[in-house]
Amino acid sequence: MPQPRVRDCMSDDRCAAARGSVAGVVRVIFVSADGEKRQEVEAPDGANLLDLAQANGQPLEGTCEGQMACSTCHVIVEAADFGKLPRALEAEEDMLDLAAAATRTSRLACQITLKSKMESLTVFMPSESHNMQGL
Ligand code: FES
């Protein structure tokens, strides 16, 4: 079956394949803090980034289990992908202010719901983590 041309596509699976992605799936690339290790995984639409990271052995504690009471799920989103995410809530930004090694593209993984329209998302593990519950 011939692949549809991308400009003829809006939302079906064949069109997604033509764009290099599969409808309903997000490709997430986890990169270690030193940049040495890359892990690519696929996640279904609606998956939580922290759950995905933990299920794939990434070093994110997620101590408060998504209650925004720690920053142990802090990740740094690749600048080119940052605009794919909805804005952080003020409470998330307040918690990121306390995260070690936070940058302008930092987010709390527990607050990120993956959407297939993102197609892909690259996130870096921070070089340090800070656990507010341990204080
Ligand atoms: Fe604690 Fe995300 S798991 S803020």
Side-chain angles (χ1 to χ4, degrees):
M1 174 186 303
Q3 287 290 323
R5 291 176 299 174
V6 173
R7 65 184 167 86
D8 295 337
C9 300
M10 287 308 289
S11 63
D12 72 21
D13 287 351
R14 287 188 316 135
C15 294
R19 290 192 308 267
S21 64
V22 176
V25 171
V26 188
R27 185 168 49 97
V28 178
I29 299 121
F30 293 110
V31 183
S32 62
D34 61 7
E36 294 282 317
K37 292 188 209 138
R38 290 174 63 91
Q39 180 185 33
E40 282 193 34
V41 297
E42 289 189 340
D45 188 71
N48 176 274
L49 183 59
L50 176 59
D51 292 342
L52 181 72
Q54 290 179 329
N56 286 283
Q58 293 297 319
L60 295 179
E61 255 181 65
T63 306
C64 76
E65 299 178 349
Q67 301 302 306
M68 283 199 279
C70 72
S71 57
T72 60
C73 64
H74 168 216
V75 293
I76 298 167
V77 178
E78 185 165 74
D81 289 343
F82 192 69
K84 296 177 181 178
L85 303 174
R87 280 188 60 126
L89 298 174
E90 193 173 327
E92 180 181 351
E93 290 181 353
D94 289 348
M95 192 52 63
L96 284 167
D97 286 343
L98 303 173
T103 74
R104 292 174 54 127
T105 62
S106 288
R107 293 296 301 263
L108 297 178
C110 68
Q111 300 302 308
I112 295 176
T113 301
L114 299 165
K115 300 288 185 189
S116 58
K117 68 181 178 187
M118 295 173 180
E119 296 189 0
S120 68
L121 190 73
T122 299
V123 295
F124 298 82
M125 298 299 118
S127 56
E128 300 175 47
S129 63
H130 188 66
N131 182 352
M132 292 302 295
Q133 292 187 338
L135 294 177

